[in-house]
Amino acid sequence: MGILWAVVWYWYYRDKEPLTAHATPISSKSIWSDILKNKQFWLLCTMYFFYTFGSWFFFSWFPTFMELGRGFDKTELTYAVAVPFIMSMIGNIAGGHLTDLLTQKYGIRIGRKALGSTSLAVSAVCMFLAAFIPGKMAVFIFLSLCFGIFDLMLPSAWALCIDLGKQQAGTLSGAMNTAGNIGGFCCGILFGELVQQSGNYNLPLYMIALMLVISAILFAFINPSNPIIQENTSPGK
């Protein structure tokens, strides 16, 4: 369905708004040429690939892990699965306020990079501890914290698309999200393969912790003050 919708959209959609007096039309070929040659684009997409690799665990294997990997019964799964998603919602909302607040007070590098990279690094520690420490309560606490903390970075990541893409923010957002979906797809496959080969449900959590560390490092190298796409300016400005 996604591929079909993309074909229909590409065939049907046209930008019908008139150009302003000083605006210069830019071909999509030229835009993509500039984007693909810029290392910031690849840092952004790769960062989001590894982030979504980690987050997709919660959307796919999480209930199975809690039941078969840590022994939660059906009644316990009600709260054990729901609470981390509530933490994720809180993290998303708090992250949006924090990135705006920190950006206004300390600048865009702190508001985007420091918040995003730190959130991912701390969540990697939580994921590692969830795998390392045995017991139901420990894994419940650390995975709840992990999901909430790494989603603190989510508003910063999407704001980066605006910071870096300017008038092409939608293009960057779509590319970043596509990279993330590929990461989520890989997580679902590799998690199951590791469990099948090893019989150990904790082993994939160490893999996910590593992916979050990589994402944190990549986030730290993104420079939100250096746009990929420069805004058009009228002559004389």
Side-chain angles (χ1 to χ4, degrees):
M1 285 298 294
I3 294 174
L4 177 62
W5 174 245
V7 171
V8 172
W9 181 263
Y10 181 81
W11 174 78
Y12 176 77
Y13 177 77
R14 296 292 183 275
D15 188 354
K16 297 180 180 179
E17 291 191 12
L19 295 171
T20 62
H22 300 296
T24 303
I26 305 173
S27 70
S28 59
K29 183 178 180 181
S30 174
I31 291 171
W32 276 109
S33 176
D34 291 341
I35 290 174
L36 293 174
K37 289 187 294 186
N38 194 297
K39 70 175 183 180
Q40 295 252 84
F41 168 75
W42 295 106
L43 283 171
L44 179 72
C45 289
T46 311
M47 174 277 294
Y48 206 73
F49 171 92
F50 287 111
Y51 154 76
T52 311
F53 191 108
S55 69
W56 208 252
F57 158 69
F58 289 96
F59 298 107
S60 55
W61 282 95
F62 181 47
T64 303
F65 167 81
M66 296 296 271
E67 182 179 5
L68 302 181
R70 287 300 173 92
F72 282 78
D73 60 38
K74 297 294 185 183
T75 56
E76 292 173 321
L77 282 176
T78 302
Y79 75 84
V81 172
V83 170
F85 279 88
I86 294 172
M87 292 293 290
S88 170
M89 178 188 69
I90 294 171
N92 266 286
I93 296 171
H97 287 288
L98 275 174
T99 190
D100 287 344
L101 181 64
L102 292 173
T103 298
Q104 290 171 6
K105 192 169 184 179
Y106 300 107
I108 199 169
R109 285 177 177 265
I110 299 295
R112 303 286 192 259
K113 289 177 59 172
L115 177 61
S117 189
T118 301
S119 298
L120 288 164
V122 173
S123 67
V125 173
C126 291
M127 183 65 73
F128 175 86
L129 292 174
F132 184 74
I133 300 176
K136 291 182 179 181
M137 187 53 65
V139 76
F140 168 69
I141 291 173
F142 285 119
L143 287 181
S144 296
L145 289 173
C146 177
F147 204 8
I149 292 170
F150 74 39
D151 269 6
L152 279 172
M153 62 71 65
L154 207 51
S156 298
W158 287 95
L160 278 175
C161 294
I162 300 173
D163 300 329
L164 298 174
K166 301 302 181 183
Q167 71 268 33
Q168 297 299 326
T171 303
L172 254 63
S173 298
M176 183 185 79
N177 198 48
T178 299
N181 286 329
I182 295 171
F185 175 79
C186 292
C187 175
I189 293 176
L190 289 176
F191 192 104
E193 189 64 26
L194 279 175
V195 171
Q196 185 176 19
Q197 295 297 326
S198 67
N200 184 348
Y201 275 90
N202 290 320
L203 188 59
L205 266 62
Y206 292 115
M207 173 186 67
I208 292 171
L210 176 61
M211 300 303 165
L212 293 174
V213 169
I214 295 173
S215 184
I217 293 171
L218 291 171
F219 207 122
F221 280 97
I222 299 172
N223 182 5
S225 301
N226 183 22
I228 295 172
I229 302 295
Q230 302 296 329
E231 289 184 307
N232 288 337
T233 56
S234 59
K237 289 190 178 181

